[in-house]
Amino acid sequence: MGMRYRDYLVGARIYGCSTCKTHLATIHSMLSRAFNGQHGRAYLFEGVVNVIEGEPSERQMTTGNHTVRDIYCVKCGTILGWKYDFAYDVSQKYKEGKYILERNLLVDVQ
Ligand SMILES: [Zn+2]
């Protein structure tokens, strides 16, 4: 990954990439802690910063079919979770445009 401008968050609690400590999200944008990622527990966020979004792909989950994009740390390239582009099930529509970050890949940076 080349050098890029990185957003710097301020707030009560900031989550960063566990590999390089790049800021990713604040607790204020967290919507839920009750999600499961590829590596265990995961959090749903309204918005995140300093990530690169991959190409869309279809993924079958316990809650139905979704179109998602893997999200990568802008600095170190670690896959941190995914973004929901589209949910086929009406009851899952609230996830569209939201982001999953894997708890095991996050650190507190404050
Ligand atoms: Zn990183």
Side-chain angles (χ1 to χ4, degrees), residues 5-49:
Y5 174 76
R6 279 181 284 144
D7 288 318
Y8 190 83
L9 297 171
V10 288
R13 186 164 181 191
I14 294 164
Y15 296 99
C17 170
S18 64
T19 304
C20 70
K21 310 256 191 310
T22 291
H23 289 190
L24 299 172
T26 69
I27 197 161
H28 302 292
S29 64
M30 183 186 285
L31 299 172
S32 173
R33 295 174 190 271
F35 275 72
N36 288 305
Q38 313 275 18
H39 310 285
R41 191 57 71 103
Y43 301 150
L44 184 71
F45 287 93
E46 177 79 47
V48 300
V49 298

Side-chain angles (χ1 to χ4, degrees), residues 28-71:
H28 302 292
S29 64
M30 183 186 285
L31 299 172
S32 173
R33 295 174 190 271
F35 275 72
N36 288 305
Q38 313 275 18
H39 310 285
R41 191 57 71 103
Y43 301 150
L44 184 71
F45 287 93
E46 177 79 47
V48 300
V49 298
N50 298 323
V51 297
I52 298 167
E53 297 177 9
E55 293 299 309
S57 65
E58 301 296 308
R59 203 167 290 172
Q60 178 70 45
M61 301 178 175
T62 54
T63 50
N65 254 341
H66 297 78
T67 306
V68 301
R69 297 169 185 264
D70 285 331
I71 55 175

